[in-house]
Amino acid sequence: MVPSEVRLGVCAMRAFVAIELPGAIKDAIESLIRRLRGVGARASWVRRENMHLTLRFFGGITEDQSIRLGEILAENGREIRPFPVHVRGIGAFPNARKPAVIWVGAEAPDDCLLHMNAAAENAARAIGLSPDDKPFHPHITMARIRDTRTARPLMEAIESEAAFDAGAFEASGMTLFSSELTPKGPVYQVVREFPCD
């Protein structure tokens, strides 16, 4: 259930929690984007500074919720150990026939990403947000399709990039971001970092 303060529009910020990416991973994704942009599909491509692996989008939350969320995420972070994340593979949501989002995949051993997502989901429910019932699919968004009629050449190019591999990095914590929508696209700001123990 959405808190009444947020329903009335009194929210401190739009927020989400994510895993930040190191420069080398972003370099590889940027190189992939340059190759894909050339096919001419109408799409909004994610800027380098906005690349991340989202664990849970919270939407609009109040200042009180933000404070409580930080307390819970800090506590949950202490129960998670750093783990490797391999960034590879490429695909589209909801599917290749009607793509809306183009993504690069992320994998980790022992369901570590699923555990981190569960920690974020539990924090969301603890501050009164509705459950996110969609299955968690770890990924990094690269683009949002603006006109599916122009997407066919892009999907063909994506097929040729099926073996894309950006390498691996160590996930050592979560970061809470605020998100401000602007005419030039979203602007993300770090609110608080939650290192793993």
Side-chain angles (χ1 to χ4, degrees), residues 20-162:
E20 296 192 72
L21 306 175
I25 298 294
K26 290 183 178 184
D27 289 344
I29 296 174
E30 271 195 313
S31 179
L32 174 61
I33 286 175
R34 283 194 294 271
R35 296 195 296 273
L36 294 176
R37 288 183 91 132
V39 302
R42 291 193 61 205
S44 297
W45 296 91
V46 173
R47 300 192 304 269
R48 178 189 177 89
E49 64 267 25
N50 286 353
M51 292 177 185
H52 58 265
L53 197 169
T54 300
L55 295 167
R56 193 4 166 128
F57 180 71
F58 301 119
I61 59 174
T62 67
E63 185 175 356
D64 287 346
Q65 285 178 309
S66 173
I67 293 169
R68 179 65 182 137
L69 186 62
E71 294 170 349
I72 297 168
L73 290 174
E75 183 177 334
N76 290 346
R78 287 193 287 271
E79 298 175 2
I80 299 171
R81 299 288 178 268
F83 58 90
V85 177
H86 200 142
V87 178
R88 61 184 169 190
I90 183 172
F93 292 140
N95 55 56
R97 292 187 306 279
K98 293 184 178 180
V101 172
I102 308 300
W103 51 261
V104 170
E107 309 164 359
D110 303 320
D111 293 328
C112 287
L113 283 170
L114 295 179
H115 293 318
M116 197 172 267
N117 164 255
E121 179 62 28
N122 290 339
R125 296 186 189 199
I127 65 168
L129 300 185
S130 299
D132 184 356
D133 296 325
K134 292 179 293 189
F136 178 59
H137 187 293
H139 69 280
I140 296 124
T141 297
M142 284 198 307
R144 292 175 177 83
I145 303 299
R146 291 186 296 184
D147 186 348
T148 56
R149 294 171 298 181
T150 67
R152 185 171 179 178
L154 176 59
M155 298 315 297
E156 290 173 353
I158 283 173
E159 285 183 21
S160 71
E161 296 281 0

Side-chain angles (χ1 to χ4, degrees), residues 13-16 57 59 177-182 186-189 191:
M13 61 180 177
R14 297 174 76 252
F16 64 91
F57 180 71
F177 289 91
S178 65
S179 172
E180 180 185 356
L181 300 179
T182 76
V187 175
Y188 304 143
Q189 296 283 344
V191 176

Side-chain angles (χ1 to χ4, degrees), residues 67 69-71 74 174-177 189-194:
I67 293 169
L69 186 62
E71 294 170 349
M174 301 177 279
T175 301
L176 180 64
F177 289 91
Q189 296 283 344
V190 173
V191 176
R192 185 173 171 185
E193 297 178 332
F194 308 96

